[in-house]
Amino acid sequence: MAKNEPFDPELVRELAKMVAETDLSEIEVEKGDLRIRVARKIEPVAVQVAPPAPVTAAAAPAPAAAIPAALAPAQPKAGAGHPGAVPSPMVGTAYLRPSPEAKPFIEVGARVQAGDKLLLIEAMKTFNDIVAPRAGTVTAIFVEDGMPVEYGEALLVLE
């Protein structure tokens, strides 16, 4: 704020009014050495979804497409809680083979040693080797070739 310009509380009130009327979260104005920033704290609103009403014989069930994905109950990922699950160390695209015409690195029932390549995850145009953290037998594979994966998602089970 300039030393020779007095502070104008009316300007702050006008800015606060403008923030409230326009649903902005903050506004900042600057003129010379004077800089005023007005911000408001927006509290998150919890939305509670009522449980669905019991379906009677006369009422037809709603098609699955009518339920928004955000409101549908989350399905647990396959193998998420299994003690032998090998989680994805990153977000990316999983590949089970080095090239489309090559044979897969692993198959269900395959024995692997610690450090053996299990699959590839492509992230930001870089292919990352996913190796076996321990020796064991592959008992389940939860990803398909070219499938997107999330961080921490179970890729396979190694027992």
Side-chain angles (χ1 to χ4, degrees), residues 49-114:
V49 178
V55 178
T56 62
I67 300 172
L71 299 178
Q75 299 297 322
K77 295 280 186 178
H82 195 284
V86 175
S88 174
M90 65 188 69
V91 174
T93 304
Y95 293 98
L96 300 175
R97 53 189 84 226
S99 66
E101 59 280 342
K103 68 180 191 103
F105 293 112
I106 57 165
E107 293 175 345
V108 173
R111 292 268 318 140
V112 296
Q113 299 301 316

Short mmCIF file of all heavy atoms in Angstrom, two decimals, residues 49-114:
data_model
loop_
_atom_site.label_atom_id
_atom_site.label_comp_id
_atom_site.label_asym_id
_atom_site.label_seq_id
_atom_site.Cartn_x
_atom_site.Cartn_y
_atom_site.Cartn_z
N VAL A 49 -26.65 -39.69 0.10
CA VAL A 49 -27.58 -40.34 -0.81
C VAL A 49 -28.45 -41.27 0.01
O VAL A 49 -27.97 -42.09 0.78
CB VAL A 49 -26.82 -41.14 -1.89
CG1 VAL A 49 -27.79 -41.85 -2.80
CG2 VAL A 49 -25.91 -40.22 -2.68
N ALA A 50 -29.77 -41.13 -0.17
CA ALA A 50 -30.71 -41.97 0.55
C ALA A 50 -30.65 -43.39 -0.01
O ALA A 50 -30.44 -43.59 -1.20
CB ALA A 50 -32.12 -41.42 0.41
N PRO A 51 -30.81 -44.39 0.87
CA PRO A 51 -30.81 -45.77 0.35
C PRO A 51 -31.99 -45.97 -0.58
O PRO A 51 -33.04 -45.33 -0.43
CB PRO A 51 -30.93 -46.63 1.61
CG PRO A 51 -31.44 -45.72 2.67
CD PRO A 51 -31.04 -44.33 2.30
N PRO A 52 -31.85 -46.85 -1.57
CA PRO A 52 -32.95 -47.05 -2.51
C PRO A 52 -34.16 -47.67 -1.82
O PRO A 52 -34.03 -48.44 -0.88
CB PRO A 52 -32.37 -48.00 -3.55
CG PRO A 52 -31.21 -48.65 -2.88
CD PRO A 52 -30.71 -47.68 -1.85
N ALA A 53 -35.32 -47.27 -2.30
CA ALA A 53 -36.57 -47.81 -1.76
C ALA A 53 -36.70 -49.27 -2.17
O ALA A 53 -36.22 -49.67 -3.23
CB ALA A 53 -37.76 -47.01 -2.29
N PRO A 54 -37.33 -50.10 -1.35
CA PRO A 54 -37.49 -51.50 -1.73
C PRO A 54 -38.32 -51.60 -3.03
O PRO A 54 -39.25 -50.84 -3.25
CB PRO A 54 -38.23 -52.13 -0.56
CG PRO A 54 -38.65 -51.02 0.34
CD PRO A 54 -37.93 -49.79 -0.07
N VAL A 55 -37.93 -52.52 -3.88
CA VAL A 55 -38.60 -52.72 -5.16
C VAL A 55 -39.78 -53.66 -4.94
O VAL A 55 -39.63 -54.73 -4.37
CB VAL A 55 -37.63 -53.30 -6.20
CG1 VAL A 55 -38.34 -53.55 -7.51
CG2 VAL A 55 -36.45 -52.38 -6.40
N THR A 56 -40.93 -53.23 -5.41
CA THR A 56 -42.11 -54.08 -5.31
C THR A 56 -42.30 -54.80 -6.64
O THR A 56 -41.67 -54.47 -7.64
CB THR A 56 -43.37 -53.24 -4.99
OG1 THR A 56 -43.57 -52.32 -6.05
CG2 THR A 56 -43.21 -52.49 -3.68
N ALA A 57 -43.18 -55.77 -6.66
CA ALA A 57 -43.43 -56.54 -7.87
C ALA A 57 -43.95 -55.66 -9.00
O ALA A 57 -43.69 -55.91 -10.16
CB ALA A 57 -44.42 -57.67 -7.59
N ALA A 58 -44.68 -54.59 -8.67
CA ALA A 58 -45.27 -53.73 -9.69
C ALA A 58 -44.23 -52.79 -10.30
O ALA A 58 -44.37 -52.36 -11.42
CB ALA A 58 -46.42 -52.92 -9.10
N ALA A 59 -43.18 -52.45 -9.53
CA ALA A 59 -42.20 -51.50 -10.02
C ALA A 59 -41.08 -52.23 -10.76
O ALA A 59 -40.58 -53.24 -10.30
CB ALA A 59 -41.60 -50.72 -8.85
N ALA A 60 -40.71 -51.69 -11.90
CA ALA A 60 -39.62 -52.28 -12.67
C ALA A 60 -38.30 -51.70 -12.15
O ALA A 60 -38.22 -50.52 -11.84
CB ALA A 60 -39.79 -51.94 -14.15
N PRO A 61 -37.27 -52.50 -12.07
CA PRO A 61 -35.99 -51.97 -11.61
C PRO A 61 -35.41 -50.99 -12.62
O PRO A 61 -35.62 -51.14 -13.82
CB PRO A 61 -35.11 -53.20 -11.46
CG PRO A 61 -35.74 -54.24 -12.33
CD PRO A 61 -37.21 -53.92 -12.36
N ALA A 62 -34.70 -50.00 -12.10
CA ALA A 62 -34.08 -49.00 -12.98
C ALA A 62 -32.94 -49.66 -13.74
O ALA A 62 -32.22 -50.49 -13.19
CB ALA A 62 -33.54 -47.85 -12.14
N PRO A 63 -32.78 -49.32 -15.02
CA PRO A 63 -31.66 -49.90 -15.76
C PRO A 63 -30.34 -49.42 -15.16
O PRO A 63 -30.26 -48.33 -14.61
CB PRO A 63 -31.86 -49.37 -17.18
CG PRO A 63 -32.79 -48.21 -17.06
CD PRO A 63 -33.59 -48.43 -15.81
N ALA A 64 -29.31 -50.22 -15.28
CA ALA A 64 -28.01 -49.90 -14.69
C ALA A 64 -27.46 -48.60 -15.25
O ALA A 64 -26.77 -47.87 -14.57
CB ALA A 64 -27.03 -51.04 -14.93
N ALA A 65 -27.76 -48.30 -16.51
CA ALA A 65 -27.24 -47.08 -17.13
C ALA A 65 -27.87 -45.83 -16.51
O ALA A 65 -27.32 -44.76 -16.61
CB ALA A 65 -27.49 -47.10 -18.63
N ALA A 66 -29.03 -45.96 -15.86
CA ALA A 66 -29.69 -44.81 -15.27
C ALA A 66 -29.03 -44.37 -13.98
O ALA A 66 -29.24 -43.26 -13.52
CB ALA A 66 -31.16 -45.11 -15.02
N ILE A 67 -28.23 -45.22 -13.34
CA ILE A 67 -27.57 -44.88 -12.09
C ILE A 67 -26.23 -44.25 -12.43
O ILE A 67 -25.39 -44.88 -13.05
CB ILE A 67 -27.36 -46.12 -11.21
CG1 ILE A 67 -28.70 -46.77 -10.89
CG2 ILE A 67 -26.63 -45.76 -9.93
CD1 ILE A 67 -28.59 -48.11 -10.21
N PRO A 68 -26.02 -42.98 -12.03
CA PRO A 68 -24.74 -42.35 -12.33
C PRO A 68 -23.61 -43.12 -11.66
O PRO A 68 -23.74 -43.64 -10.56
CB PRO A 68 -24.86 -40.95 -11.73
CG PRO A 68 -26.32 -40.75 -11.49
CD PRO A 68 -26.94 -42.10 -11.36
N ALA A 69 -22.46 -43.19 -12.34
CA ALA A 69 -21.32 -43.94 -11.81
C ALA A 69 -20.87 -43.40 -10.46
O ALA A 69 -20.41 -44.14 -9.62
CB ALA A 69 -20.17 -43.89 -12.80
N ALA A 70 -21.02 -42.08 -10.24
CA ALA A 70 -20.59 -41.50 -8.98
C ALA A 70 -21.44 -41.97 -7.82
O ALA A 70 -21.00 -41.99 -6.68
CB ALA A 70 -20.63 -39.97 -9.07
N LEU A 71 -22.69 -42.36 -8.08
CA LEU A 71 -23.58 -42.79 -7.01
C LEU A 71 -23.61 -44.30 -6.86
O LEU A 71 -24.10 -44.80 -5.86
CB LEU A 71 -25.00 -42.27 -7.26
CG LEU A 71 -25.16 -40.75 -7.31
CD1 LEU A 71 -26.59 -40.39 -7.61
CD2 LEU A 71 -24.70 -40.12 -6.03
N ALA A 72 -23.11 -45.02 -7.84
CA ALA A 72 -23.12 -46.48 -7.76
C ALA A 72 -22.13 -46.93 -6.70
O ALA A 72 -21.09 -46.31 -6.52
CB ALA A 72 -22.74 -47.08 -9.11
N PRO A 73 -22.45 -47.99 -5.97
CA PRO A 73 -21.51 -48.44 -4.94
C PRO A 73 -20.20 -48.89 -5.57
O PRO A 73 -20.19 -49.51 -6.63
CB PRO A 73 -22.24 -49.61 -4.27
CG PRO A 73 -23.31 -50.02 -5.22
CD PRO A 73 -23.64 -48.82 -6.06
N ALA A 74 -19.11 -48.55 -4.93
CA ALA A 74 -17.80 -48.90 -5.45
C ALA A 74 -17.58 -50.40 -5.33
O ALA A 74 -17.81 -50.99 -4.29
CB ALA A 74 -16.71 -48.16 -4.69
N GLN A 75 -17.16 -51.00 -6.43
CA GLN A 75 -16.86 -52.42 -6.44
C GLN A 75 -15.39 -52.60 -6.07
O GLN A 75 -14.54 -51.92 -6.62
CB GLN A 75 -17.12 -53.02 -7.83
CG GLN A 75 -18.56 -52.90 -8.28
CD GLN A 75 -19.51 -53.68 -7.40
OE1 GLN A 75 -19.21 -54.76 -6.94
NE2 GLN A 75 -20.67 -53.09 -7.13
N PRO A 76 -15.07 -53.49 -5.14
CA PRO A 76 -13.67 -53.68 -4.80
C PRO A 76 -12.92 -54.26 -5.99
O PRO A 76 -13.46 -55.07 -6.73
CB PRO A 76 -13.70 -54.66 -3.63
CG PRO A 76 -15.04 -55.32 -3.70
CD PRO A 76 -15.96 -54.35 -4.37
N LYS A 77 -11.70 -53.82 -6.18
CA LYS A 77 -10.88 -54.31 -7.27
C LYS A 77 -10.51 -55.76 -6.99
O LYS A 77 -10.30 -56.17 -5.86
CB LYS A 77 -9.60 -53.48 -7.41
CG LYS A 77 -9.86 -52.05 -7.81
CD LYS A 77 -10.08 -51.96 -9.27
CE LYS A 77 -10.19 -50.49 -9.67
NZ LYS A 77 -10.36 -50.31 -11.06
N ALA A 78 -10.41 -56.56 -8.04
CA ALA A 78 -10.07 -57.97 -7.90
C ALA A 78 -8.71 -58.11 -7.25
O ALA A 78 -7.76 -57.44 -7.66
CB ALA A 78 -10.08 -58.64 -9.27
N GLY A 79 -8.61 -58.95 -6.24
CA GLY A 79 -7.35 -59.25 -5.59
C GLY A 79 -6.80 -58.16 -4.69
O GLY A 79 -5.68 -58.27 -4.21
N ALA A 80 -7.56 -57.10 -4.47
CA ALA A 80 -7.06 -55.96 -3.71
C ALA A 80 -6.58 -56.34 -2.31
O ALA A 80 -5.58 -55.82 -1.84
CB ALA A 80 -8.12 -54.88 -3.62
N GLY A 81 -7.25 -57.27 -1.65
CA GLY A 81 -6.86 -57.62 -0.29
C GLY A 81 -6.04 -58.88 -0.18
O GLY A 81 -5.69 -59.31 0.91
N HIS A 82 -5.68 -59.49 -1.28
CA HIS A 82 -4.95 -60.76 -1.25
C HIS A 82 -3.51 -60.51 -0.79
O HIS A 82 -2.85 -59.59 -1.27
CB HIS A 82 -4.95 -61.40 -2.64
CG HIS A 82 -4.54 -62.82 -2.62
ND1 HIS A 82 -3.23 -63.19 -2.47
CD2 HIS A 82 -5.25 -63.96 -2.71
CE1 HIS A 82 -3.15 -64.51 -2.48
NE2 HIS A 82 -4.38 -65.00 -2.63
N PRO A 83 -3.00 -61.33 0.14
CA PRO A 83 -1.64 -61.11 0.65
C PRO A 83 -0.55 -61.32 -0.40
O PRO A 83 0.54 -60.77 -0.28
CB PRO A 83 -1.51 -62.12 1.78
CG PRO A 83 -2.57 -63.14 1.55
CD PRO A 83 -3.67 -62.45 0.80
N GLY A 84 -0.82 -62.06 -1.44
CA GLY A 84 0.18 -62.29 -2.49
C GLY A 84 0.04 -61.36 -3.67
O GLY A 84 0.73 -61.53 -4.69
N ALA A 85 -0.86 -60.37 -3.57
CA ALA A 85 -1.08 -59.46 -4.69
C ALA A 85 0.16 -58.61 -4.96
O ALA A 85 0.82 -58.15 -4.04
CB ALA A 85 -2.28 -58.56 -4.40
N VAL A 86 0.46 -58.41 -6.23
CA VAL A 86 1.55 -57.53 -6.64
C VAL A 86 0.88 -56.24 -7.13
O VAL A 86 0.19 -56.25 -8.15
CB VAL A 86 2.40 -58.17 -7.77
CG1 VAL A 86 3.45 -57.19 -8.26
CG2 VAL A 86 3.03 -59.46 -7.28
N PRO A 87 1.04 -55.14 -6.39
CA PRO A 87 0.37 -53.90 -6.76
C PRO A 87 1.12 -53.13 -7.84
O PRO A 87 2.34 -53.28 -8.00
CB PRO A 87 0.37 -53.10 -5.45
CG PRO A 87 1.61 -53.57 -4.74
CD PRO A 87 1.77 -55.02 -5.13
N SER A 88 0.39 -52.30 -8.57
CA SER A 88 1.00 -51.45 -9.58
C SER A 88 1.75 -50.32 -8.88
O SER A 88 1.18 -49.63 -8.03
CB SER A 88 -0.08 -50.87 -10.50
OG SER A 88 0.52 -49.94 -11.39
N PRO A 89 3.00 -50.09 -9.24
CA PRO A 89 3.75 -49.01 -8.61
C PRO A 89 3.47 -47.64 -9.23
O PRO A 89 4.01 -46.64 -8.78
CB PRO A 89 5.21 -49.43 -8.86
CG PRO A 89 5.15 -50.19 -10.14
CD PRO A 89 3.83 -50.91 -10.13
N MET A 90 2.61 -47.61 -10.26
CA MET A 90 2.35 -46.35 -10.95
C MET A 90 1.04 -46.42 -11.75
O MET A 90 0.48 -47.49 -11.93
CB MET A 90 3.49 -46.03 -11.91
CG MET A 90 3.62 -47.03 -13.04
SD MET A 90 5.09 -46.82 -14.05
CE MET A 90 6.35 -47.28 -12.91
N VAL A 91 0.63 -45.28 -12.23
CA VAL A 91 -0.52 -45.19 -13.13
C VAL A 91 0.02 -45.34 -14.54
O VAL A 91 1.07 -44.79 -14.87
CB VAL A 91 -1.21 -43.82 -12.98
CG1 VAL A 91 -2.30 -43.64 -14.01
CG2 VAL A 91 -1.77 -43.66 -11.58
N GLY A 92 -0.66 -46.10 -15.37
CA GLY A 92 -0.21 -46.26 -16.74
C GLY A 92 -1.01 -47.32 -17.47
O GLY A 92 -2.14 -47.63 -17.09
N THR A 93 -0.43 -47.87 -18.51
CA THR A 93 -1.06 -48.91 -19.31
C THR A 93 -0.23 -50.18 -19.18
O THR A 93 0.97 -50.16 -19.41
CB THR A 93 -1.15 -48.49 -20.79
OG1 THR A 93 -1.84 -47.24 -20.86
CG2 THR A 93 -1.89 -49.52 -21.62
N ALA A 94 -0.90 -51.27 -18.79
CA ALA A 94 -0.20 -52.54 -18.58
C ALA A 94 -0.09 -53.32 -19.89
O ALA A 94 -1.03 -53.34 -20.69
CB ALA A 94 -0.95 -53.37 -17.54
N TYR A 95 1.05 -53.93 -20.08
CA TYR A 95 1.27 -54.80 -21.23
C TYR A 95 1.85 -56.12 -20.73
O TYR A 95 2.83 -56.13 -19.97
CB TYR A 95 2.23 -54.15 -22.24
CG TYR A 95 1.62 -52.94 -22.89
CD1 TYR A 95 1.92 -51.66 -22.44
CD2 TYR A 95 0.72 -53.08 -23.94
CE1 TYR A 95 1.34 -50.55 -23.02
CE2 TYR A 95 0.14 -51.97 -24.53
CZ TYR A 95 0.46 -50.71 -24.06
OH TYR A 95 -0.12 -49.61 -24.64
N LEU A 96 1.25 -57.23 -21.14
CA LEU A 96 1.67 -58.55 -20.70
C LEU A 96 2.75 -59.16 -21.59
O LEU A 96 3.28 -60.22 -21.30
CB LEU A 96 0.46 -59.49 -20.64
CG LEU A 96 -0.65 -59.06 -19.69
CD1 LEU A 96 -1.85 -59.99 -19.81
CD2 LEU A 96 -0.15 -59.00 -18.27
N ARG A 97 3.05 -58.51 -22.71
CA ARG A 97 4.03 -59.03 -23.67
C ARG A 97 4.87 -57.87 -24.20
O ARG A 97 4.41 -56.74 -24.25
CB ARG A 97 3.33 -59.79 -24.79
CG ARG A 97 2.24 -59.00 -25.48
CD ARG A 97 1.38 -59.79 -26.46
NE ARG A 97 0.33 -60.48 -25.76
CZ ARG A 97 0.01 -61.76 -25.98
NH1 ARG A 97 0.64 -62.45 -26.87
NH2 ARG A 97 -0.96 -62.32 -25.31
N PRO A 98 6.10 -58.16 -24.64
CA PRO A 98 6.97 -57.09 -25.12
C PRO A 98 6.53 -56.47 -26.44
O PRO A 98 6.82 -55.31 -26.72
CB PRO A 98 8.34 -57.76 -25.27
CG PRO A 98 8.06 -59.22 -25.34
CD PRO A 98 6.78 -59.45 -24.60
N SER A 99 5.80 -57.23 -27.26
CA SER A 99 5.25 -56.71 -28.52
C SER A 99 3.97 -57.49 -28.81
O SER A 99 3.77 -58.58 -28.27
CB SER A 99 6.26 -56.87 -29.66
OG SER A 99 6.48 -58.23 -29.95
N PRO A 100 3.10 -56.96 -29.66
CA PRO A 100 1.82 -57.62 -29.90
C PRO A 100 1.93 -59.06 -30.40
O PRO A 100 1.09 -59.89 -30.09
CB PRO A 100 1.15 -56.73 -30.96
CG PRO A 100 1.77 -55.39 -30.78
CD PRO A 100 3.17 -55.66 -30.34
N GLU A 101 2.99 -59.39 -31.16
CA GLU A 101 3.10 -60.75 -31.69
C GLU A 101 3.92 -61.68 -30.80
O GLU A 101 3.99 -62.88 -31.04
CB GLU A 101 3.69 -60.74 -33.12
CG GLU A 101 5.05 -60.12 -33.26
CD GLU A 101 5.06 -58.59 -33.31
OE1 GLU A 101 4.02 -57.97 -33.58
OE2 GLU A 101 6.12 -58.02 -33.08
N ALA A 102 4.53 -61.16 -29.74
CA ALA A 102 5.36 -61.97 -28.84
C ALA A 102 4.48 -62.71 -27.82
O ALA A 102 3.34 -62.35 -27.58
CB ALA A 102 6.35 -61.09 -28.11
N LYS A 103 5.07 -63.76 -27.21
CA LYS A 103 4.33 -64.50 -26.18
C LYS A 103 4.39 -63.70 -24.88
O LYS A 103 5.32 -62.92 -24.66
CB LYS A 103 4.88 -65.91 -26.00
CG LYS A 103 6.25 -66.01 -25.41
CD LYS A 103 6.66 -67.48 -25.30
CE LYS A 103 7.90 -67.58 -24.46
NZ LYS A 103 7.69 -68.03 -23.13
N PRO A 104 3.40 -63.88 -23.99
CA PRO A 104 3.36 -63.12 -22.74
C PRO A 104 4.56 -63.44 -21.85
O PRO A 104 5.14 -64.52 -21.92
CB PRO A 104 2.07 -63.59 -22.06
CG PRO A 104 1.30 -64.31 -23.10
CD PRO A 104 2.25 -64.76 -24.15
N PHE A 105 4.93 -62.46 -21.00
CA PHE A 105 6.01 -62.67 -20.04
C PHE A 105 5.65 -63.81 -19.08
O PHE A 105 6.49 -64.62 -18.73
CB PHE A 105 6.28 -61.41 -19.22
CG PHE A 105 6.83 -60.27 -20.02
CD1 PHE A 105 6.07 -59.13 -20.24
CD2 PHE A 105 8.12 -60.32 -20.55
CE1 PHE A 105 6.59 -58.07 -20.96
CE2 PHE A 105 8.64 -59.26 -21.28
CZ PHE A 105 7.87 -58.13 -21.49
N ILE A 106 4.39 -63.81 -18.62
CA ILE A 106 3.93 -64.81 -17.64
C ILE A 106 2.55 -65.31 -18.01
O ILE A 106 1.83 -64.65 -18.76
CB ILE A 106 3.88 -64.22 -16.21
CG1 ILE A 106 2.98 -62.99 -16.18
CG2 ILE A 106 5.26 -63.95 -15.66
CD1 ILE A 106 2.56 -62.54 -14.82
N GLU A 107 2.19 -66.45 -17.45
CA GLU A 107 0.84 -66.99 -17.57
C GLU A 107 0.47 -67.56 -16.21
O GLU A 107 1.35 -67.81 -15.38
CB GLU A 107 0.79 -68.09 -18.64
CG GLU A 107 1.04 -67.57 -20.04
CD GLU A 107 1.11 -68.67 -21.08
OE1 GLU A 107 1.25 -69.85 -20.71
OE2 GLU A 107 1.02 -68.34 -22.26
N VAL A 108 -0.82 -67.79 -15.98
CA VAL A 108 -1.25 -68.39 -14.73
C VAL A 108 -0.60 -69.77 -14.62
O VAL A 108 -0.59 -70.54 -15.58
CB VAL A 108 -2.80 -68.49 -14.66
CG1 VAL A 108 -3.23 -69.27 -13.43
CG2 VAL A 108 -3.42 -67.10 -14.65
N GLY A 109 0.00 -70.06 -13.46
CA GLY A 109 0.67 -71.32 -13.23
C GLY A 109 2.17 -71.24 -13.44
O GLY A 109 2.90 -72.18 -13.10
N ALA A 110 2.66 -70.13 -13.99
CA ALA A 110 4.10 -69.99 -14.24
C ALA A 110 4.86 -69.78 -12.94
O ALA A 110 4.40 -69.07 -12.05
CB ALA A 110 4.34 -68.81 -15.18
N ARG A 111 6.03 -70.40 -12.83
CA ARG A 111 6.93 -70.20 -11.68
C ARG A 111 7.87 -69.05 -12.04
O ARG A 111 8.42 -69.01 -13.14
CB ARG A 111 7.76 -71.45 -11.40
CG ARG A 111 7.00 -72.63 -10.89
CD ARG A 111 6.88 -72.79 -9.38
NE ARG A 111 8.11 -72.52 -8.64
CZ ARG A 111 8.08 -71.87 -7.48
NH1 ARG A 111 6.96 -71.44 -6.95
NH2 ARG A 111 9.21 -71.64 -6.82
N VAL A 112 8.04 -68.12 -11.11
CA VAL A 112 8.94 -66.99 -11.33
C VAL A 112 9.91 -66.87 -10.16
O VAL A 112 9.61 -67.31 -9.05
CB VAL A 112 8.17 -65.66 -11.52
CG1 VAL A 112 7.33 -65.68 -12.76
CG2 VAL A 112 7.32 -65.33 -10.32
N GLN A 113 11.04 -66.29 -10.44
CA GLN A 113 12.05 -66.00 -9.41
C GLN A 113 12.01 -64.50 -9.12
O GLN A 113 11.55 -63.71 -9.95
CB GLN A 113 13.45 -66.41 -9.92
CG GLN A 113 13.59 -67.89 -10.23
CD GLN A 113 13.31 -68.76 -9.03
OE1 GLN A 113 13.77 -68.49 -7.93
NE2 GLN A 113 12.52 -69.81 -9.24
N ALA A 114 12.50 -64.12 -7.95
CA ALA A 114 12.59 -62.71 -7.60
C ALA A 114 13.39 -61.99 -8.68
O ALA A 114 14.46 -62.44 -9.08
CB ALA A 114 13.23 -62.53 -6.24
#
